[in-house]
């Protein structure tokens, strides 16, 4: 009888521990490619579990994809372009969605072209065909890029393309350049057999676009009800990035479990490109991951005003909330 009582108690304790795990499904912006490895690794390494969270990760279909998923409450957390969130909130001021942790301190928005087709710098786009997926985050920022570089947009033929056909069309010469994330389009072209020396990567951040990139976003109703869970989630995110930096092979191994068809070396290189160019910036090295520079963010809002007419007077406090970021040195990546 005592044995049965002890066993029943152990089962009850285990069930209680399992039920204590807060469910937090996470909506990505894109597919299971290299830059998603820190998140899949955080799941497999138990980093979320250590924070009392049960996290599942779902692929996305572009930079705009996660915003409505989180705003509707279908997902409590997601990964999305902060500039697109800003416009979404301007048009839907009561929507319960908010960026809470910056990941791409330097955005990967880019125009990727073929040198053999005459595209090496911004001015080369005039008179040529640009492939742009309508939901693409880089395409959303193209008007700012065009304005900063005095491009005659009427002289550019814009071809709406799908994500699956974007790089193949460029590889086949059907378009002369495409908008996309630098690490995605570049390596997709290499995988398709385009010689690396024939690829030009025009990073918008190097040509006058002073914006931030993708951030972790939360459903604010969920966050207000579960503040410790959100902080725990962000803690595990930072730990996942640090461990991916320290051991990219282990991070890519976790990614390949979700995408067995992926090329390990290619995705490892894609991850490293994101780390070097977008995550581990000088600002992050000095201040840690996750927060923003208020002056830079204010400048980004002003720049957005040049190509987008806000329906309401923009307020930076309505577009980013740092109150859920973990304290201590967990955000200091090295």
């Amino acid at each position: 009888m005592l044995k049965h009582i002890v066993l029943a108690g152990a089962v009850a304790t285990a069930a209680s521990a399992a039920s204590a795990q807060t469910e937090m499904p996470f909506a990505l912006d894109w597919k299971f490619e290299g830059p998603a490895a820190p998140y899949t690794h955080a799941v497999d390494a138990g980093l979320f579990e250590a924070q009392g969270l049960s996290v599942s990760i779902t692929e996305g279909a572009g930079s705009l994809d996660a915003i409505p998923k989180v705003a509707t409450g279908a997902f409590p957390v997601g990964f999305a372009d902060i500039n697109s969130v800003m416009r979404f909130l301007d048009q839907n001021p009561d929507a319960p969605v908010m960026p809470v942790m910056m990941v791409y301190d330097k955005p990967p928005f880019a125009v990727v072209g073929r040198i053999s087709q005459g595209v090496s710098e911004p001015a080369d786009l005039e008179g040529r065909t640009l492939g742009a997926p309508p939901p693409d985050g880089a395409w959303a920022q193209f008007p700012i890029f065009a304005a900063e570089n005095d491009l005659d947009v009427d002289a550019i033929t814009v071809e709406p393309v799908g994500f699956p056909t974007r790089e193949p069309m460029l590889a086949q010469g059907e378009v002369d350049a495409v908008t996309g994330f630098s690490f995605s389009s570049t390596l997709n072209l290499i995988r398709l057999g385009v010689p690396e020396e024939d690829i030009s990567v025009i990073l918008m951040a190097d040509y006058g676009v002073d914006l931030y990139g993708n951030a972790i976003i939360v459903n604010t109703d969920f966050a207000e009800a579960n503040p410790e869970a959100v902080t725990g989630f962000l803690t595990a995110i930072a730990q996942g990035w640090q461990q991916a930096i320290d051991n990219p092979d282990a991070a890519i191994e976790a990614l390949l479990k979700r995408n067995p068809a992926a090329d390990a070396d290619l995705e490892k290189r894609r991850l490293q490109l994101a780390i070097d160019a977008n995550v581990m910036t000088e600002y992050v090295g000095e201040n840690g991951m996750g927060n923003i520079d208020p002056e830079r963010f204010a400048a980004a809002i002003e720049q957005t005003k040049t190509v987008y007419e806000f329906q309401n007077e923009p307020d930076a406090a309505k577009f980013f909330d740092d109150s859920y970021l973990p304290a201590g040195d967990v955000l200091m990546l090295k």
Side-chain angles (χ1 to χ4, degrees), residues 7-271:
L7 179 59
V11 171
T13 300
S16 176
S19 64
Q21 295 281 317
T22 301
E23 297 283 341
M24 290 187 70
F26 179 37
L28 289 178
D29 64 327
W30 191 233
K31 303 185 184 303
F32 286 122
E33 294 183 346
Y39 313 129
T40 56
H41 173 74
V43 172
D44 290 1
L47 302 180
F48 290 117
E49 186 178 5
Q51 297 296 326
L53 309 175
S54 176
V55 175
S56 57
I57 303 178
T58 301
E59 287 185 328
S63 293
L64 309 182
D65 187 58
I67 302 171
K69 289 178 179 177
V70 174
T72 59
F75 287 79
V77 283
F79 189 52
D81 165 35
I82 192 172
N83 308 287
S84 299
V85 177
M86 188 162 57
R87 299 183 192 195
F88 180 87
L89 284 171
D90 178 57
Q91 297 163 21
N92 305 275
D94 296 325
V97 60
M98 177 69 73
V100 293
M101 181 184 198
M102 184 53 57
V103 177
Y104 293 158
D105 184 64
K106 184 177 183 179
F109 309 135
V111 173
V112 180
R114 297 281 301 276
I115 296 173
S116 60
Q117 290 170 225
V119 178
S120 297
E121 55 186 47
D124 296 333
L125 294 172
E126 295 179 0
R128 292 185 168 82
T129 301
L130 176 68
D136 176 41
W139 170 243
Q141 313 316 323
F142 185 80
I144 295 176
F145 169 77
E148 289 294 325
N149 291 277
D150 297 319
L151 298 183
D152 180 359
V153 293
D154 292 333
I156 303 172
T157 300
V158 178
E159 180 75 25
V161 300
F163 285 118
T165 60
R166 174 176 54 189
E167 287 84 19
M169 288 180 69
L170 181 54
Q172 295 162 15
E174 297 177 35
V175 296
D176 301 306
V178 296
T179 62
F181 278 16
S182 54
F183 47 70
S184 290
S185 291
T186 302
L187 294 186
N188 289 348
L189 288 170
I190 292 172
R191 180 174 53 82
L192 290 169
V194 177
E196 193 164 353
E197 60 271 16
D198 189 31
I199 301 172
S200 59
V201 180
I202 305 171
L203 197 63
M204 295 184 187
D206 293 337
Y207 288 86
V209 178
D210 190 27
L211 303 178
Y212 280 97
N214 279 36
I216 302 295
I217 62 176
V218 300
N219 179 281
T220 53
D221 292 337
F222 176 89
E224 289 170 7
N226 303 274
E228 293 182 0
V230 173
T231 298
F233 182 86
L234 300 183
T235 299
I237 291 290
Q239 291 171 338
W241 274 101
Q242 183 62 72
Q243 292 188 19
I245 291 169
D246 294 340
N247 190 352
D249 289 325
I252 293 300
E253 183 179 344
L255 181 82
L256 294 179
K257 292 179 183 178
R258 281 83 174 174
N259 186 5
D263 181 290
D265 291 336
L266 191 74
E267 298 310 328
K268 181 180 176 181
R269 185 178 176 192
R270 202 189 308 267
L271 169 62

Side-chain angles (χ1 to χ4, degrees), residues 299-318:
I301 292 174
E302 290 301 314
Q303 193 171 58
T304 301
K305 282 183 178 180
T306 65
V307 297
Y308 173 77
E309 185 176 351
F310 281 92
Q311 298 179 11
N312 305 283
E313 183 61 29
D315 180 359
K318 295 180 180 179

